[in-house]
Amino acid sequence: MTHFLARWPHLSMTNVIDILLVAFVIYQFLMLVRGTRAAPMLVGVAAVALGFYIARIGELTTLSWLISTLIPYVVFALIVVFQAELRHALANLGSRITLSRAASSESDAYDDIVLAANLFSQNQTGALIVIEREIGLRTYIESGVPLDARLSYDLLATIFRPSAPLHDGAVIVQKDRIAAAACFLPLSMNPVLSTQMGTRHRAGIGITEETDAIAVIVSEETGAISLAVAGNIQRDLTVEQLRERLSTLLRRYVPPATLPTPIANENEDKAEIEHPASFRNPDQSYTPEVDR
């Protein structure tokens, strides 16, 4: 490092650290807005900055005066426009400070997804759970009903209950939180899949084609559990296979113990056996004929 700095005598170690820190902040900011609505807004801000620079270089007095007058107000406008991103950045900073505690709770939260998928498979309840990874899913979150609730087996079972108002659509999970329910997802345009699978499966594959998210899908017709990643789908998974695949994709350790099977309420099971039609919503958009 000393030999490197000797070539630039005016460059000190403090300057190098300063440059690296600024580069790190810029990189984290770009990663934060990637895949969100803030990205095109950032391009607009860059265009305004470029216009101001051209006005100063070209000595365009009127345009330079106009932009100089508006710049103080632009700063406040940016704070309002990027308030969600700023809040998300501060939340990420806090989660990294408490990384060890968050890691254990997050691992337990994804076990709840596996338990819920097992319940849905046994009861043949259609479900679509999308797990966000690196690429943000804020655009799809805003299409549904915001929840921002802690991820749990009980909450998933409540959301996807056929009589619940939020069951029709996808649940999007961010780390150990359920960001939103009843979300609309893009359908896969793969011509082969369109003739073999129903709407729920094509939506699960579609979101993984456009992002790096993971989609857990339970068929309403057969109760089969499927997992979609990178535009591909694995069907008819067992509960243990689902847990192992999630642990591999999310880089988590899988202990050899078998997951417990959730036990439904006995009175509810009895009522469902005696009156199965009352547990099906006739207005569901995912019908058994198209959801295989």
Side-chain angles (χ1 to χ4, degrees), residues 8 12 35 48 55 78 96 123-124 130 152 157 182 187 189 195 202 206 220 229 233 240-241 243 266 270 283 289 292:
W8 292 275
S12 64
V48 172
L78 289 178
R96 290 178 182 178
N123 296 339
Q124 293 188 359
V130 179
S152 67
L187 298 181
M189 301 306 294
T195 60
R202 287 160 52 203
E220 184 177 358
V229 183
I233 187 169
E240 282 301 324
Q241 287 174 336
R243 184 169 187 249
E266 294 181 0
K270 182 177 179 181
D283 296 329
E289 288 77 9
R292 295 192 294 272

Side-chain angles (χ1 to χ4, degrees), residues 122-201:
Q122 292 178 349
N123 296 339
Q124 293 188 359
T125 300
L128 175 54
I129 304 171
V130 179
I131 304 173
E132 180 187 84
R133 291 202 283 181
E134 294 296 326
I135 299 178
L137 302 177
R138 197 167 304 158
T139 301
Y140 307 105
I141 290 173
E142 292 175 351
S143 69
V145 179
L147 295 179
D148 191 23
R150 187 180 68 83
L151 175 62
S152 67
Y153 160 78
D154 296 321
L155 183 55
L156 289 174
T158 302
I159 292 174
F160 286 109
R161 185 183 180 91
S163 58
L166 299 180
H167 82 282
D168 197 7
V171 161
I172 297 181
V173 176
Q174 291 179 316
K175 296 185 178 179
D176 61 341
R177 311 283 295 180
I178 294 181
C183 299
F184 294 94
L185 302 180
L187 298 181
S188 173
M189 301 306 294
N190 189 323
V192 177
L193 297 177
S194 62
T195 60
Q196 296 178 352
M197 298 182 183
T199 306
R200 182 178 286 111
H201 288 78

Side-chain angles (χ1 to χ4, degrees), residues 44-101:
V45 173
V48 172
L50 179 62
F52 178 71
Y53 177 75
I54 294 175
R56 295 292 297 272
I57 296 298
E59 297 182 355
L60 304 177
T61 307
T62 306
L63 181 59
S64 179
W65 171 83
L66 179 62
I67 297 179
S68 300
T69 305
L70 293 177
I71 280 180
Y73 303 98
V74 170
V75 174
F76 293 101
L78 289 178
I79 295 176
V80 174
V81 170
F82 291 103
Q83 60 176 328
E85 284 71 23
L86 293 174
R87 185 166 58 246
H88 186 59
L90 293 176
N92 282 342
L93 179 61
S95 63
R96 290 178 182 178
I97 294 175
T98 58
L99 180 62
S100 58
R101 183 175 59 184

Side-chain angles (χ1 to χ4, degrees), residues 194-264:
S194 62
T195 60
Q196 296 178 352
M197 298 182 183
T199 306
R200 182 178 286 111
H201 288 78
R202 287 160 52 203
I205 298 172
I207 189 65
T208 64
E209 290 176 342
E210 298 190 6
T211 69
D212 64 345
I214 302 170
V216 178
I217 313 157
V218 181
S219 171
E220 184 177 358
E221 180 182 341
T222 64
I225 301 175
S226 303
L227 183 70
V229 183
N232 299 315
I233 187 169
Q234 294 177 305
R235 308 186 68 180
D236 298 324
L237 296 177
T238 65
V239 176
E240 282 301 324
Q241 287 174 336
L242 174 63
R243 184 169 187 249
E244 290 175 2
R245 288 291 294 138
L246 287 178
S247 301
T248 301
L249 293 169
L250 300 168
R251 295 184 178 89
R252 287 177 175 79
Y253 170 70
V254 186
T258 303
L259 281 173
T261 301
I263 301 176

